[in-house]
Amino acid sequence: MPEIKRIAVLGSGVMGAQIAGLLAGLGFDVLLLDILPPKGPSVDEEQRGVRRNLPSWRNQLALKAVERLKGLKPPPLFRPSDVGKINVGNLEDDLQRAAQCDWIIEVVVERLEVKQALYARLDEILAPHTILTSNTSGLSTQLLTMGRSSSFKRRFMVTHFFNPPRYLKLLEVVPGPDTDPDLLRFMVAFVEDKLGKGVVYAKDTPNFIANRIGVYHFLDVMHLTEENGWPIEAVDGVLGPATAHPKSAIFRTGDVVGLDTLGFVAETVIKGCPNDPGARRMRIPQYIVAMITKGWTGQKAGQGFYRKDKATGAITVLDPATLDYRPQIKFRTPSLGEVRSIEDPAERLRRVVWAEDQAGEIAWPAIGHLIVYAASLIPDIADDIVQIDRALRWGFNMELGPFEMWDALGVEKVAAKLESEKTAIPSVVQQLVDAKRTHFYEWRTSHRHYFDLKAREFQIIPGSEKNISLKRLAEIGRRIEDNAGASLLDLGDGVLCCEFHTKMNAIDGDVIEMLSRSLDRVEKEGVGLLVANDGAHFSAGANLLLILMTAKQGDRQQLDSIIRRFQAVMQRMRFSSKPVMSVPFGMAIGGGCEVSLAAGRRQASVETYIGLVEVGAGVIPAGGGCKNFLLHFEDEGKRKHLSKDKIWFSPDDGGPFPKVAKAFELIGTARVSGSALEAKTLGILRPDDRISLDREKLTFEAKAHLLEWAKTYVPPKPRDDISLPGLGGKMALLNALKDWQKLGKATEYDVVVAEKLAHVLSGGDRPNIHTTSEDHILDLEREAFLSLCGDERTHARMAALLETGKPLRN
């Protein structure tokens, strides 16, 4: 099989450009092509010399698409600089270049005749090794390849990415009848290992799996809303996180996707599957037809189900009965209140669906229809329940798939409810019941199994051997010890894991204590220690409420004790006799970043947003963050400095100031990386830190990395030769700070906090360039932190963060 290095993306629309951005960020040589612009340069443009730059004009659509990537939210690029790695061209001049690439991804307009015409051209010029795939969301592979050569058909398949491709894990793979089985296996392994995608095998049916079920669910809920007179915002309140759906729920997601797009996808199923059990519910409700006619197609049109009032800035919502916009109501029910603090999605779903309140009245029919419809489609669209559940979780960001919902609600209880409503029980559910089973999934030791409908027995979920569930390990007795804030788990092979389980994995006294006990244990009897967590984020930092309360009480001694304990355990992690590795993902900010920095190495999820953000709370990093940034940036400088040149820290070369200036900028602006890849560019992550593309495999890969590292691990020694610029460096930073203030980039209190930061980073208690120790910098950190905690303006910043989640610029 070919080694894939060069990839061509044909079509630079919303999906094509973002796929190109994803691939460029992951290190591939990318060529993005589109059609010629609809018209050539005007006479005026010719006179201004546009004709002299004719190739750029002919590539205009692709060039504009790449430029648009810079402004999209959420950012489609891992690093802003990734756009520079995308080469552009057009389908008239550059198709031969594309045909020589290792992989071509076709992402042109979703019209069969357009794709067929492009394939006819490619069939004549494809290099013998080139693989061709289509990003079609539902067109048949047989129709797409009709009339093509046997060689073309052998290396063709569908690889359907989901929008936005950087963030949604799903990739539906649909082979054609003539696709080479070895090539199929190769491509599945490639997209899983090199792109971090979760592959779902779909059959060649309209809209495949995720869109077939997802669009049915959306339109069914939209029908139910009209039929029952439910307020749109009430439906979104129920069919969001409360029932294991994404935050955007149903109608907000509809606005993002676009009502016209929703209608197009639904029409594909209606035409292709007239006997589909959900075909009637996939017909667009009349109020949505009226919205499309008016051009109210969602976010791209400025209004859809929701609209921002231009006068007040308030978000108003559509009344389907009148097509008027009105203020939103606050929809509250007992069950919705109960589930806000529940982390387990299955428990949230169960409580809301079976609730005897208004939320339950909305949830049951919506969820009931979804899970019955999904069950009715096996084996037509997929051979097993795993493909369907993964498709909905990975493609629509749902926390549970339809069959996981059956389990959460209770198969027997749902079946009884359906019988009472005179609704037929799907045959796959009846098969489960006949086999005297009560769940579609079950755990066996540390691995999850699913009920195989063909074998009528439980089988291990493919790929689950690389998924380590910390929750499951605790359930089967692998917890060594715990307290209210953290646990120590045995991952096997001598690897221990310290896991936080506070809210947002915030760092408090219990977490610090468990880290210390974990180090005691691993140094006596382990091979190495992972600091790894479950949840949405690695750690959102210190327990800010605890810090604020202690600061307001004026208990400086207690604050000093907290900081000393935190600093001590961070240093223990750094100098442990056994290797310690942090495993950041999601937000790793403030104290969470400091924990990551203290470890000897890091195995980070690619979606890691890491940085020291303490200035937003009116303090500076005091858990070794300032010190470790200095050490990281010092190492970065040495790596970039050629050995033939003078020593990096000689006076002639700028002395110790470059690392100090960089640390001051990143900490002073609360800079957070947009990804782990950007964190490497910034120097927050080091070259020997590794990045996992699949979040579900993160802990497994971290364990393997730790075991490999342990074979050659040598504990580092405390540094007492750290070069700092002293008072002169501090004054240079303060001069830059004055410029920030003049430009309006720094408030009055920003300057106060930044002065403390400059003092710490430069070693401002010394007059000149000097060398110092790690302990001395930690002392400076602690003194600055305690001083700022005594200021009421810091209290105001902390209170604002706790109340609003946003920093106060006082």
Side-chain angles (χ1 to χ4, degrees):
M1 294 298 167
E3 182 180 2
I4 295 178
K5 293 182 178 180
R6 297 180 301 153
I7 304 175
V9 180
L10 310 186
S12 67
V14 173
M15 279 301 290
Q18 290 193 70
I19 290 170
L22 170 73
L23 297 170
L26 295 175
F28 295 98
D29 182 2
V30 179
L31 175 64
L32 179 64
L33 307 184
D34 210 325
I35 60 174
L36 293 174
K39 63 177 183 177
S42 67
V43 174
D44 288 342
E45 287 172 328
E46 280 197 69
Q47 291 174 351
R48 291 199 305 269
V50 169
R51 282 295 182 192
R52 288 197 296 271
N53 194 24
L54 186 60
S56 293
W57 171 79
R58 293 174 71 83
N59 302 339
Q60 188 179 99
L61 293 184
L63 282 167
K64 287 183 176 179
V66 170
E67 189 64 26
R68 280 195 300 270
L69 288 176
K70 300 175 184 178
L72 291 180
K73 300 292 181 184
L77 303 168
F78 291 119
R79 295 155 294 207
S81 61
D82 290 343
V83 292
K85 304 172 186 175
I86 302 173
N87 300 300
V88 299
N90 66 77
L91 291 170
E92 299 305 315
D93 303 328
D94 303 295
L95 196 61
Q96 185 71 48
R97 290 171 63 197
Q100 301 305 308
C101 289
D102 304 312
W103 179 18
I104 298 175
I105 308 172
E106 171 271 301
V107 202
V108 301
V109 64
E110 193 76 345
R111 285 168 49 192
L112 180 63
E113 69 276 12
V114 174
K115 293 178 186 287
Q116 287 177 330
L118 178 60
Y119 294 171
R121 294 173 61 196
L122 284 168
D123 200 356
E124 297 178 357
I125 58 175
L126 279 181
H129 72 285
T130 303
I131 301 163
L132 174 65
T133 71
S134 174
N135 188 59
T136 177
S137 59
L139 296 178
S140 165
T141 59
Q142 292 195 59
L143 291 176
L144 287 170
T145 58
M146 186 179 295
R148 301 281 55 81
S149 68
S150 58
S151 171
F152 185 102
K153 292 179 180 180
R154 182 186 63 79
R155 43 196 167 136
F156 177 85
M157 68 190 78
V158 168
T159 52
H160 180 212
F161 292 79
F162 275 67
N163 189 19
R166 170 182 166 181
Y167 300 97
L168 289 183
K169 180 177 176 177
L170 179 60
L171 186 81
E172 290 180 316
V173 172
V174 188
D178 302 307
T179 304
D180 182 343
D182 291 334
L183 181 63
L184 175 65
R185 285 189 289 271
F186 167 79
M187 285 301 295
V188 167
F190 175 82
V191 297
E192 287 179 340
D193 296 342
K194 303 301 183 183
L195 306 188
K197 290 299 175 184
V199 169
V200 161
Y201 294 92
K203 294 188 177 181
D204 195 5
T205 57
N207 291 347
F208 310 135
I209 299 176
N211 281 340
R212 177 80 167 266
I213 298 172
V215 170
Y216 163 82
H217 179 44
F218 276 49
L219 289 170
D220 176 60
V221 169
M222 291 170 184
H223 279 292
L224 287 169
T225 299
E226 181 183 35
E227 292 160 1
N228 293 282
W230 295 334
I232 280 175
E233 67 272 41
V235 175
D236 274 356
V238 173
L239 298 177
T243 52
H245 285 64
K247 288 182 179 179
S248 55
I250 301 295
F251 289 97
R252 288 190 186 279
T253 301
D255 275 351
V256 172
V257 171
L259 305 191
D260 49 347
T261 301
L262 205 62
F264 174 79
V265 176
E267 192 66 25
T268 303
V269 175
I270 293 169
K271 289 180 178 178
C273 304
N275 297 320
D276 184 283
R280 185 177 62 84
R281 301 298 276 182
M282 285 201 202
R283 299 195 181 279
I284 304 296
Q286 283 305 305
Y287 72 97
I288 297 180
V289 172
M291 291 172 67
I292 294 172
T293 301
K294 290 174 178 287
W296 301 351
T297 53
Q299 188 172 283
K300 60 189 174 186
Q303 65 186 99
F305 298 114
Y306 295 91
R307 182 180 71 179
K308 187 174 184 179
D309 188 284
K310 294 180 180 178
T312 65
I315 304 297
T316 57
V317 64
L318 186 82
D319 182 338
T322 65
L323 291 185
D324 292 326
Y325 288 90
R326 56 167 178 77
Q328 296 187 61
I329 62 169
K330 292 184 177 180
F331 183 73
R332 296 188 176 97
T333 71
S335 62
L336 292 179
E338 287 175 12
V339 301
R340 282 197 193 112
S341 60
I342 296 175
E343 292 188 8
D344 181 12
E347 180 62 24
R348 292 198 305 269
L349 178 74
R350 188 160 43 245
R351 291 208 189 188
V352 174
V353 168
W354 298 131
E356 294 183 0
D357 61 17
Q358 288 178 303
E361 291 174 8
I362 293 172
W364 163 249
I367 300 299
H369 290 183
L370 166 65
I371 63 178
V372 168
Y373 178 69
S376 73
L377 295 179
I378 289 182
D380 292 343
I381 67 171
D383 286 326
D384 61 68
I385 64 172
V386 175
Q387 306 306 312
I388 287 179
D389 280 346
R390 283 177 166 174
L392 271 292
R393 282 194 287 107
W394 294 344
F396 281 82
N397 255 348
M398 297 178 74
E399 293 180 273
L400 300 172
F403 293 95
E404 291 167 321
M405 289 182 174
W406 276 96
D407 282 0
L409 297 173
V411 172
E412 293 175 342
K413 189 171 183 177
V414 172
K417 178 79 169 174
L418 293 174
E419 286 182 347
S420 72
E421 296 176 345
K422 295 183 170 42
T423 300
I425 298 173
S427 61
V428 296
V429 178
Q430 194 59 55
Q431 287 180 48
L432 185 79
V433 173
D434 292 345
K436 302 190 184 309
R437 304 289 188 173
T438 58
H439 292 84
F440 283 104
Y441 292 94
E442 68 178 29
W443 284 96
R444 295 185 178 178
T445 62
S446 59
H447 296 300
R448 202 164 175 232
H449 291 61
Y450 74 101
F451 186 71
D452 187 318
L453 295 164
K454 290 181 179 178
R456 300 205 171 207
E457 63 182 17
F458 281 91
Q459 307 277 6
I460 189 169
I461 295 175
S464 65
E465 65 278 359
K466 292 187 178 181
N467 299 343
I468 295 178
S469 167
L470 301 181
K471 178 182 177 182
R472 179 58 184 170
L473 290 177
E475 290 172 349
I476 62 173
R478 302 278 283 277
R479 182 188 288 126
I480 298 171
E481 55 181 307
D482 66 352
N483 61 26
S487 302
L488 179 63
L489 301 169
D490 179 4
L491 301 192
D493 301 312
V495 176
L496 306 185
C497 174
C498 183
E499 177 200 11
F500 309 166
H501 39 74
T502 51
K503 184 176 181 179
M504 294 289 285
N505 291 330
I507 298 162
D508 60 11
D510 288 324
V511 169
I512 294 170
E513 174 64 23
M514 187 53 62
L515 279 168
S516 180
R517 284 154 61 178
S518 299
L519 290 163
D520 290 340
R521 177 84 64 157
V522 77
E523 289 186 328
K524 289 179 183 177
E525 58 192 59
V527 172
L529 177 69
L530 293 181
V531 182
N533 301 325
D534 280 338
H537 303 287
F538 176 72
S539 175
N543 184 332
L544 195 58
L545 179 60
L546 173 64
I547 298 294
L548 176 59
M549 290 174 61
T550 309
K552 279 194 166 186
Q553 291 167 1
D555 194 342
R556 183 183 174 97
Q557 185 175 355
Q558 177 64 15
L559 277 176
D560 182 73
S561 175
I562 293 171
I563 299 305
R564 285 180 184 273
R565 287 174 61 210
F566 187 40
Q567 289 182 338
V569 81
M570 293 299 96
Q571 289 294 84
R572 284 197 64 195
M573 286 175 60
R574 177 163 152 72
F575 302 115
S576 172
S577 62
K578 300 292 177 63
V580 178
M581 180 180 294
S582 62
V583 190
F585 59 92
M587 286 196 298
I589 57 176
C593 177
E594 290 182 301
V595 171
S596 294
L597 295 172
R601 284 191 187 177
R602 286 140 291 277
Q603 178 85 32
S605 165
V606 70
E607 296 301 340
T608 296
Y609 319 116
I610 187 169
L612 295 170
V613 299
E614 285 84 350
V615 294
V619 291
I620 67 154
C626 296
K627 170 185 69 71
N628 287 326
F629 258 24
L630 290 172
L631 295 179
H632 275 224
F633 301 150
E634 177 182 292
D635 288 346
E636 180 186 39
K638 289 179 178 178
R639 286 193 303 273
K640 292 180 178 178
H641 194 74
L642 298 177
S643 58
K644 66 179 181 179
D645 296 332
K646 294 182 179 180
I647 300 171
W648 168 247
F649 292 108
S650 71
D652 291 343
D653 199 33
F657 190 69
K659 69 180 179 219
V660 171
K662 183 171 182 179
F664 183 74
E665 179 183 357
L666 293 186
I667 300 172
T669 59
R671 177 69 182 273
V672 175
S673 71
S675 67
L677 290 166
E678 186 178 39
K680 278 210 169 189
T681 302
L682 292 171
I684 299 173
L685 295 183
R686 288 176 158 168
D688 52 6
D689 295 333
R690 295 184 186 174
I691 295 174
S692 293
L693 300 180
D694 186 341
R695 168 72 180 86
E696 293 184 31
K697 298 175 183 175
L698 176 61
T699 306
F700 175 87
E701 291 175 352
K703 178 185 174 183
H705 181 190
L706 180 68
L707 288 170
E708 175 190 330
W709 178 36
K711 295 174 183 176
T712 58
Y713 175 72
V714 177
K717 295 181 179 179
R719 292 277 303 278
D720 60 4
D721 60 346
I722 304 168
S723 182
L724 295 179
L727 185 59
K730 177 180 177 180
M731 297 311 297
L733 295 176
L734 295 182
N735 285 333
L737 185 59
K738 289 178 183 177
D739 293 335
W740 288 3
Q741 193 172 21
K742 287 177 183 177
L743 294 171
K745 295 181 179 180
T747 66
E748 179 184 345
Y749 198 54
D750 286 338
V751 172
V752 173
V753 176
E755 285 177 348
K756 298 284 188 183
L757 178 62
H759 182 78
V760 172
L761 293 172
S762 62
D765 59 339
R766 308 279 179 87
N768 302 310
I769 293 177
H770 61 282
T771 57
T772 190
S773 67
E774 295 190 38
D775 285 343
H776 179 234
I777 301 174
L778 291 174
D779 289 341
L780 293 176
E781 285 185 11
R782 190 174 62 256
E783 289 166 8
F785 184 92
L786 293 172
S787 173
L788 290 166
C789 280
D791 195 307
E792 290 186 356
R793 292 170 292 183
T794 286
H795 302 172
R797 286 196 172 192
M798 291 181 176
L801 280 173
L802 290 167
E803 291 169 12
T804 68
K806 298 178 181 179
L808 173 68
R809 300 299 304 280
N810 56 349

